[in-house]
mmCIF file of all heavy atoms in Angstrom:
data_model
loop_
_atom_site.group_PDB
_atom_site.id
_atom_site.type_symbol
_atom_site.label_atom_id
_atom_site.label_comp_id
_atom_site.label_asym_id
_atom_site.label_seq_id
_atom_site.Cartn_x
_atom_site.Cartn_y
_atom_site.Cartn_z
ATOM 1 N N GLU A 1 -2.046 10.478 3.706
ATOM 2 C CA GLU A 1 -1.872 11.659 4.559
ATOM 3 C C GLU A 1 -0.463 12.227 4.419
ATOM 4 O O GLU A 1 -0.275 13.448 4.376
ATOM 5 C CB GLU A 1 -2.149 11.286 6.013
ATOM 6 C CG GLU A 1 -2.032 12.454 6.979
ATOM 7 C CD GLU A 1 -2.361 12.059 8.414
ATOM 8 O OE1 GLU A 1 -2.756 10.902 8.638
ATOM 9 O OE2 GLU A 1 -2.197 12.914 9.303
ATOM 10 N N ARG A 2 0.543 11.341 4.335
ATOM 11 C CA ARG A 2 1.924 11.795 4.231
ATOM 12 C C ARG A 2 2.139 12.644 2.983
ATOM 13 O O ARG A 2 2.878 13.632 2.998
ATOM 14 C CB ARG A 2 2.874 10.585 4.205
ATOM 15 C CG ARG A 2 4.335 10.955 4.087
ATOM 16 C CD ARG A 2 5.204 9.703 4.086
ATOM 17 N NE ARG A 2 5.156 9.013 5.351
ATOM 18 C CZ ARG A 2 5.919 9.302 6.402
ATOM 19 N NH1 ARG A 2 6.782 10.300 6.319
ATOM 20 N NH2 ARG A 2 5.823 8.611 7.519
ATOM 21 N N TYR A 3 1.486 12.267 1.872
ATOM 22 C CA TYR A 3 1.672 12.990 0.616
ATOM 23 C C TYR A 3 0.541 13.979 0.321
ATOM 24 O O TYR A 3 0.480 14.554 -0.769
ATOM 25 C CB TYR A 3 1.838 11.999 -0.539
ATOM 26 C CG TYR A 3 3.148 11.246 -0.450
ATOM 27 C CD1 TYR A 3 3.205 9.966 0.114
ATOM 28 C CD2 TYR A 3 4.331 11.828 -0.880
ATOM 29 C CE1 TYR A 3 4.406 9.282 0.221
ATOM 30 C CE2 TYR A 3 5.538 11.151 -0.774
ATOM 31 C CZ TYR A 3 5.562 9.885 -0.224
ATOM 32 O OH TYR A 3 6.757 9.216 -0.110
ATOM 33 N N GLY A 4 -0.360 14.163 1.281
ATOM 34 C CA GLY A 4 -1.392 15.180 1.141
ATOM 35 C C GLY A 4 -2.428 14.889 0.083
ATOM 36 O O GLY A 4 -2.928 15.813 -0.577
ATOM 37 N N VAL A 5 -2.793 13.633 -0.081
ATOM 38 C CA VAL A 5 -3.781 13.252 -1.092
ATOM 39 C C VAL A 5 -5.096 12.900 -0.393
ATOM 40 O O VAL A 5 -5.128 12.010 0.462
ATOM 41 C CB VAL A 5 -3.304 12.041 -1.928
ATOM 42 C CG1 VAL A 5 -4.238 11.817 -3.118
ATOM 43 C CG2 VAL A 5 -1.878 12.254 -2.411
ATOM 44 N N PRO A 6 -6.198 13.559 -0.734
ATOM 45 C CA PRO A 6 -7.481 13.279 -0.064
ATOM 46 C C PRO A 6 -7.984 11.864 -0.354
ATOM 47 O O PRO A 6 -7.712 11.294 -1.417
ATOM 48 C CB PRO A 6 -8.435 14.333 -0.670
ATOM 49 C CG PRO A 6 -7.558 15.355 -1.312
ATOM 50 C CD PRO A 6 -6.303 14.647 -1.718
ATOM 51 N N LEU A 7 -8.721 11.311 0.582
ATOM 52 C CA LEU A 7 -9.311 9.989 0.400
ATOM 53 C C LEU A 7 -10.632 10.112 -0.347
ATOM 54 O O LEU A 7 -11.503 10.898 0.030
ATOM 55 C CB LEU A 7 -9.553 9.319 1.751
ATOM 56 C CG LEU A 7 -8.330 9.053 2.636
ATOM 57 C CD1 LEU A 7 -8.755 8.313 3.901
ATOM 58 C CD2 LEU A 7 -7.272 8.258 1.883
ATOM 59 N N LEU A 8 -10.784 9.315 -1.415
ATOM 60 C CA LEU A 8 -12.065 9.230 -2.120
ATOM 61 C C LEU A 8 -12.917 8.088 -1.576
ATOM 62 O O LEU A 8 -14.141 8.171 -1.543
ATOM 63 C CB LEU A 8 -11.841 9.017 -3.621
ATOM 64 C CG LEU A 8 -11.320 10.196 -4.431
ATOM 65 C CD1 LEU A 8 -11.276 9.816 -5.919
ATOM 66 C CD2 LEU A 8 -12.190 11.429 -4.238
ATOM 67 N N GLN A 9 -12.248 7.008 -1.165
ATOM 68 C CA GLN A 9 -12.970 5.832 -0.679
ATOM 69 C C GLN A 9 -12.064 5.058 0.253
ATOM 70 O O GLN A 9 -10.883 4.855 -0.048
ATOM 71 C CB GLN A 9 -13.396 4.940 -1.850
ATOM 72 C CG GLN A 9 -14.275 3.761 -1.471
ATOM 73 C CD GLN A 9 -15.708 4.175 -1.177
ATOM 74 O OE1 GLN A 9 -16.277 4.950 -1.930
ATOM 75 N NE2 GLN A 9 -16.275 3.661 -0.109
ATOM 76 N N GLU A 10 -12.592 4.618 1.379
ATOM 77 C CA GLU A 10 -11.824 3.834 2.334
ATOM 78 C C GLU A 10 -12.183 2.358 2.219
ATOM 79 O O GLU A 10 -13.262 1.995 1.744
ATOM 80 C CB GLU A 10 -12.099 4.314 3.762
ATOM 81 C CG GLU A 10 -11.723 5.770 4.018
ATOM 82 C CD GLU A 10 -12.079 6.212 5.425
ATOM 83 O OE1 GLU A 10 -11.899 5.406 6.360
ATOM 84 O OE2 GLU A 10 -12.551 7.352 5.581
ATOM 85 N N ARG A 11 -11.234 1.513 2.620
ATOM 86 C CA ARG A 11 -11.427 0.062 2.712
ATOM 87 C C ARG A 11 -12.002 -0.520 1.426
ATOM 88 O O ARG A 11 -13.114 -1.057 1.407
ATOM 89 C CB ARG A 11 -12.294 -0.291 3.914
ATOM 90 C CG ARG A 11 -11.674 0.170 5.229
ATOM 91 C CD ARG A 11 -12.236 -0.539 6.435
ATOM 92 N NE ARG A 11 -11.501 -0.148 7.628
ATOM 93 C CZ ARG A 11 -11.638 -0.731 8.819
ATOM 94 N NH1 ARG A 11 -12.496 -1.728 8.961
ATOM 95 N NH2 ARG A 11 -10.936 -0.325 9.852
ATOM 96 N N ILE A 12 -11.227 -0.434 0.365
ATOM 97 C CA ILE A 12 -11.685 -0.933 -0.927
ATOM 98 C C ILE A 12 -11.134 -2.328 -1.229
ATOM 99 O O ILE A 12 -11.351 -2.857 -2.315
ATOM 100 C CB ILE A 12 -11.297 0.039 -2.057
ATOM 101 C CG1 ILE A 12 -9.777 0.108 -2.222
ATOM 102 C CG2 ILE A 12 -11.878 1.429 -1.806
ATOM 103 C CD1 ILE A 12 -9.333 0.872 -3.461
ATOM 104 N N GLU A 13 -10.416 -2.938 -0.278
ATOM 105 C CA GLU A 13 -9.893 -4.279 -0.513
ATOM 106 C C GLU A 13 -11.048 -5.261 -0.716
ATOM 107 O O GLU A 13 -12.116 -5.120 -0.111
ATOM 108 C CB GLU A 13 -9.003 -4.741 0.651
ATOM 109 C CG GLU A 13 -9.687 -4.841 2.006
ATOM 110 C CD GLU A 13 -9.712 -3.526 2.764
ATOM 111 O OE1 GLU A 13 -9.323 -2.478 2.216
ATOM 112 O OE2 GLU A 13 -10.145 -3.552 3.939
ATOM 113 N N ASP A 14 -10.828 -6.255 -1.574
ATOM 114 C CA ASP A 14 -11.891 -7.211 -1.902
ATOM 115 C C ASP A 14 -12.229 -8.119 -0.728
ATOM 116 O O ASP A 14 -13.382 -8.536 -0.571
ATOM 117 C CB ASP A 14 -11.482 -8.069 -3.107
ATOM 118 C CG ASP A 14 -11.309 -7.233 -4.367
ATOM 119 O OD1 ASP A 14 -11.933 -6.158 -4.459
ATOM 120 O OD2 ASP A 14 -10.547 -7.652 -5.253
ATOM 121 N N TYR A 15 -11.241 -8.455 0.079
ATOM 122 C CA TYR A 15 -11.450 -9.346 1.220
ATOM 123 C C TYR A 15 -11.124 -8.584 2.497
ATOM 124 O O TYR A 15 -9.980 -8.178 2.712
ATOM 125 C CB TYR A 15 -10.572 -10.593 1.104
ATOM 126 C CG TYR A 15 -10.806 -11.366 -0.169
ATOM 127 C CD1 TYR A 15 -9.942 -11.240 -1.254
ATOM 128 C CD2 TYR A 15 -11.913 -12.198 -0.299
ATOM 129 C CE1 TYR A 15 -10.172 -11.923 -2.435
ATOM 130 C CE2 TYR A 15 -12.153 -12.897 -1.478
ATOM 131 C CZ TYR A 15 -11.286 -12.762 -2.534
ATOM 132 O OH TYR A 15 -11.514 -13.433 -3.706
ATOM 133 N N HIS A 16 -12.115 -8.407 3.338
ATOM 134 C CA HIS A 16 -11.930 -7.541 4.503
ATOM 135 C C HIS A 16 -11.143 -8.213 5.631
ATOM 136 O O HIS A 16 -10.841 -7.573 6.627
ATOM 137 C CB HIS A 16 -13.280 -7.019 4.992
ATOM 138 C CG HIS A 16 -13.925 -6.085 3.999
ATOM 139 N ND1 HIS A 16 -13.384 -4.861 3.686
ATOM 140 C CD2 HIS A 16 -15.027 -6.214 3.227
ATOM 141 C CE1 HIS A 16 -14.133 -4.262 2.783
ATOM 142 N NE2 HIS A 16 -15.126 -5.064 2.475
ATOM 143 N N GLY A 17 -10.818 -9.489 5.455
ATOM 144 C CA GLY A 17 -9.887 -10.130 6.374
ATOM 145 C C GLY A 17 -8.457 -10.087 5.850
ATOM 146 O O GLY A 17 -7.577 -10.782 6.364
ATOM 147 N N ASN A 18 -8.228 -9.278 4.834
ATOM 148 C CA ASN A 18 -6.945 -9.185 4.150
ATOM 149 C C ASN A 18 -5.810 -8.891 5.139
ATOM 150 O O ASN A 18 -5.785 -7.842 5.776
ATOM 151 C CB ASN A 18 -7.031 -8.079 3.092
ATOM 152 C CG ASN A 18 -5.810 -8.019 2.196
ATOM 153 O OD1 ASN A 18 -5.127 -9.016 2.012
ATOM 154 N ND2 ASN A 18 -5.542 -6.850 1.632
ATOM 155 N N THR A 19 -4.855 -9.806 5.264
ATOM 156 C CA THR A 19 -3.778 -9.696 6.250
ATOM 157 C C THR A 19 -2.445 -10.043 5.599
ATOM 158 O O THR A 19 -2.362 -10.985 4.814
ATOM 159 C CB THR A 19 -4.028 -10.644 7.439
ATOM 160 O OG1 THR A 19 -5.273 -10.301 8.049
ATOM 161 C CG2 THR A 19 -2.914 -10.537 8.480
ATOM 162 N N THR A 20 -1.421 -9.275 5.930
ATOM 163 C CA THR A 20 -0.069 -9.573 5.457
ATOM 164 C C THR A 20 0.803 -9.944 6.649
ATOM 165 O O THR A 20 0.713 -9.349 7.713
ATOM 166 C CB THR A 20 0.543 -8.378 4.706
ATOM 167 O OG1 THR A 20 -0.216 -8.146 3.507
ATOM 168 C CG2 THR A 20 1.988 -8.660 4.306
ATOM 169 N N ARG A 21 1.624 -10.944 6.437
ATOM 170 C CA ARG A 21 2.572 -11.404 7.459
ATOM 171 C C ARG A 21 3.965 -10.886 7.100
ATOM 172 O O ARG A 21 4.390 -10.965 5.942
ATOM 173 C CB ARG A 21 2.564 -12.930 7.521
ATOM 174 C CG ARG A 21 3.549 -13.543 8.513
ATOM 175 C CD ARG A 21 3.323 -15.042 8.593
ATOM 176 N NE ARG A 21 4.373 -15.715 9.347
ATOM 177 C CZ ARG A 21 5.194 -16.627 8.847
ATOM 178 N NH1 ARG A 21 5.093 -16.997 7.584
ATOM 179 N NH2 ARG A 21 6.117 -17.180 9.595
ATOM 180 N N PHE A 22 4.652 -10.359 8.094
ATOM 181 C CA PHE A 22 5.992 -9.815 7.917
ATOM 182 C C PHE A 22 6.962 -10.582 8.822
ATOM 183 O O PHE A 22 6.575 -11.058 9.896
ATOM 184 C CB PHE A 22 6.026 -8.332 8.290
ATOM 185 C CG PHE A 22 5.103 -7.470 7.471
ATOM 186 C CD1 PHE A 22 3.756 -7.371 7.804
ATOM 187 C CD2 PHE A 22 5.580 -6.765 6.375
ATOM 188 C CE1 PHE A 22 2.891 -6.580 7.056
ATOM 189 C CE2 PHE A 22 4.725 -5.980 5.621
ATOM 190 C CZ PHE A 22 3.383 -5.885 5.955
ATOM 191 N N LEU A 23 8.204 -10.679 8.392
ATOM 192 C CA LEU A 23 9.250 -11.317 9.186
ATOM 193 C C LEU A 23 10.216 -10.276 9.725
ATOM 194 O O LEU A 23 10.538 -9.294 9.040
ATOM 195 C CB LEU A 23 10.018 -12.335 8.343
ATOM 196 C CG LEU A 23 9.202 -13.498 7.783
ATOM 197 C CD1 LEU A 23 10.098 -14.406 6.935
ATOM 198 C CD2 LEU A 23 8.523 -14.295 8.882
ATOM 199 N N VAL A 24 10.688 -10.499 10.945
ATOM 200 C CA VAL A 24 11.709 -9.652 11.560
ATOM 201 C C VAL A 24 13.042 -10.368 11.428
ATOM 202 O O VAL A 24 13.186 -11.519 11.844
ATOM 203 C CB VAL A 24 11.389 -9.372 13.043
ATOM 204 C CG1 VAL A 24 12.441 -8.445 13.638
ATOM 205 C CG2 VAL A 24 9.995 -8.772 13.183
ATOM 206 N N LEU A 25 14.016 -9.700 10.822
ATOM 207 C CA LEU A 25 15.318 -10.292 10.534
ATOM 208 C C LEU A 25 16.352 -9.860 11.568
ATOM 209 O O LEU A 25 16.395 -8.698 11.967
ATOM 210 C CB LEU A 25 15.806 -9.860 9.149
ATOM 211 C CG LEU A 25 14.840 -10.034 7.981
ATOM 212 C CD1 LEU A 25 15.447 -9.452 6.712
ATOM 213 C CD2 LEU A 25 14.486 -11.496 7.795
ATOM 214 N N GLY A 26 17.182 -10.808 11.970
ATOM 215 C CA GLY A 26 18.284 -10.505 12.877
ATOM 216 C C GLY A 26 19.361 -11.559 12.698
ATOM 217 O O GLY A 26 19.400 -12.260 11.689
ATOM 218 N N TYR A 27 20.218 -11.699 13.710
ATOM 219 C CA TYR A 27 21.313 -12.651 13.584
ATOM 220 C C TYR A 27 21.176 -13.879 14.478
ATOM 221 O O TYR A 27 21.837 -14.874 14.259
ATOM 222 C CB TYR A 27 22.657 -11.971 13.851
ATOM 223 C CG TYR A 27 23.369 -11.589 12.574
ATOM 224 C CD1 TYR A 27 23.414 -10.272 12.157
ATOM 225 C CD2 TYR A 27 23.964 -12.552 11.777
ATOM 226 C CE1 TYR A 27 24.047 -9.915 10.972
ATOM 227 C CE2 TYR A 27 24.596 -12.224 10.590
ATOM 228 C CZ TYR A 27 24.633 -10.899 10.195
ATOM 229 O OH TYR A 27 25.253 -10.559 9.017
ATOM 230 N N GLN A 28 20.320 -13.814 15.462
ATOM 231 C CA GLN A 28 20.228 -14.948 16.392
ATOM 232 C C GLN A 28 18.797 -15.122 16.848
ATOM 233 O O GLN A 28 18.177 -14.188 17.357
ATOM 234 C CB GLN A 28 21.139 -14.722 17.603
ATOM 235 C CG GLN A 28 21.212 -15.912 18.543
ATOM 236 C CD GLN A 28 22.200 -15.680 19.665
ATOM 237 O OE1 GLN A 28 22.765 -14.590 19.798
ATOM 238 N NE2 GLN A 28 22.420 -16.692 20.490
ATOM 239 N N SER A 29 18.268 -16.330 16.655
ATOM 240 C CA SER A 29 16.910 -16.604 17.109
ATOM 241 C C SER A 29 16.839 -16.558 18.626
ATOM 242 O O SER A 29 17.784 -16.961 19.318
ATOM 243 C CB SER A 29 16.452 -17.988 16.624
ATOM 244 O OG SER A 29 16.275 -17.993 15.227
ATOM 245 N N PRO A 30 15.721 -16.079 19.170
ATOM 246 C CA PRO A 30 15.595 -15.984 20.627
ATOM 247 C C PRO A 30 15.305 -17.338 21.252
ATOM 248 O O PRO A 30 14.916 -18.293 20.566
ATOM 249 C CB PRO A 30 14.394 -15.041 20.787
ATOM 250 C CG PRO A 30 13.583 -15.262 19.548
ATOM 251 C CD PRO A 30 14.568 -15.509 18.449
ATOM 252 N N PRO A 31 15.470 -17.451 22.573
ATOM 253 C CA PRO A 31 15.096 -18.675 23.286
ATOM 254 C C PRO A 31 13.586 -18.897 23.222
ATOM 255 O O PRO A 31 12.831 -18.008 22.805
ATOM 256 C CB PRO A 31 15.559 -18.406 24.725
ATOM 257 C CG PRO A 31 16.508 -17.259 24.628
ATOM 258 C CD PRO A 31 16.071 -16.450 23.459
ATOM 259 N N PRO A 32 13.113 -20.069 23.650
ATOM 260 C CA PRO A 32 11.670 -20.347 23.608
ATOM 261 C C PRO A 32 10.866 -19.374 24.462
ATOM 262 O O PRO A 32 11.299 -18.963 25.541
ATOM 263 C CB PRO A 32 11.574 -21.768 24.158
ATOM 264 C CG PRO A 32 12.920 -22.373 23.926
ATOM 265 C CD PRO A 32 13.893 -21.251 24.077
ATOM 266 N N SER A 33 9.682 -19.006 23.959
ATOM 267 C CA SER A 33 8.766 -18.150 24.712
ATOM 268 C C SER A 33 7.553 -18.928 25.216
ATOM 269 O O SER A 33 6.786 -18.430 26.025
ATOM 270 C CB SER A 33 8.292 -16.990 23.832
ATOM 271 O OG SER A 33 7.377 -17.450 22.841
ATOM 272 N N GLY A 34 7.384 -20.158 24.699
ATOM 273 C CA GLY A 34 6.203 -20.957 25.057
ATOM 274 C C GLY A 34 5.114 -20.926 24.002
ATOM 275 O O GLY A 34 4.231 -21.781 23.994
ATOM 276 N N HIS A 35 5.169 -19.939 23.101
ATOM 277 C CA HIS A 35 4.202 -19.840 21.998
ATOM 278 C C HIS A 35 4.993 -19.465 20.740
ATOM 279 O O HIS A 35 4.964 -18.314 20.300
ATOM 280 C CB HIS A 35 3.136 -18.791 22.284
ATOM 281 C CG HIS A 35 2.272 -19.091 23.456
ATOM 282 N ND1 HIS A 35 2.658 -18.815 24.753
ATOM 283 C CD2 HIS A 35 1.040 -19.665 23.536
ATOM 284 C CE1 HIS A 35 1.696 -19.197 25.576
ATOM 285 N NE2 HIS A 35 0.715 -19.714 24.868
ATOM 286 N N ASP A 36 5.679 -20.458 20.158
ATOM 287 C CA ASP A 36 6.658 -20.160 19.119
ATOM 288 C C ASP A 36 6.313 -20.814 17.786
ATOM 289 O O ASP A 36 5.429 -21.668 17.680
ATOM 290 C CB ASP A 36 8.047 -20.629 19.570
ATOM 291 C CG ASP A 36 8.500 -19.948 20.846
ATOM 292 O OD1 ASP A 36 8.629 -18.719 20.832
ATOM 293 O OD2 ASP A 36 8.687 -20.650 21.861
ATOM 294 N N LYS A 37 7.067 -20.390 16.791
ATOM 295 C CA LYS A 37 6.976 -20.934 15.441
ATOM 296 C C LYS A 37 8.399 -21.127 14.949
ATOM 297 O O LYS A 37 9.299 -20.365 15.304
ATOM 298 C CB LYS A 37 6.208 -19.973 14.536
ATOM 299 C CG LYS A 37 5.955 -20.475 13.126
ATOM 300 C CD LYS A 37 5.201 -19.429 12.302
ATOM 301 C CE LYS A 37 3.778 -19.245 12.767
ATOM 302 N NZ LYS A 37 3.013 -18.307 11.899
ATOM 303 N N THR A 38 8.620 -22.161 14.142
ATOM 304 C CA THR A 38 9.931 -22.428 13.561
ATOM 305 C C THR A 38 9.818 -22.484 12.046
ATOM 306 O O THR A 38 8.908 -23.125 11.518
ATOM 307 C CB THR A 38 10.513 -23.746 14.099
ATOM 308 O OG1 THR A 38 10.781 -23.610 15.501
ATOM 309 C CG2 THR A 38 11.822 -24.113 13.397
#
């Protein structure tokens, strides 16, 4: 949409559970929230 290109086909990924994990970068880890990962 940003570049004005029409869609020919939607959702063409091979695995429909396809998920990417992203990390948020900063300088100091937060205190515990009760549902954390290290």
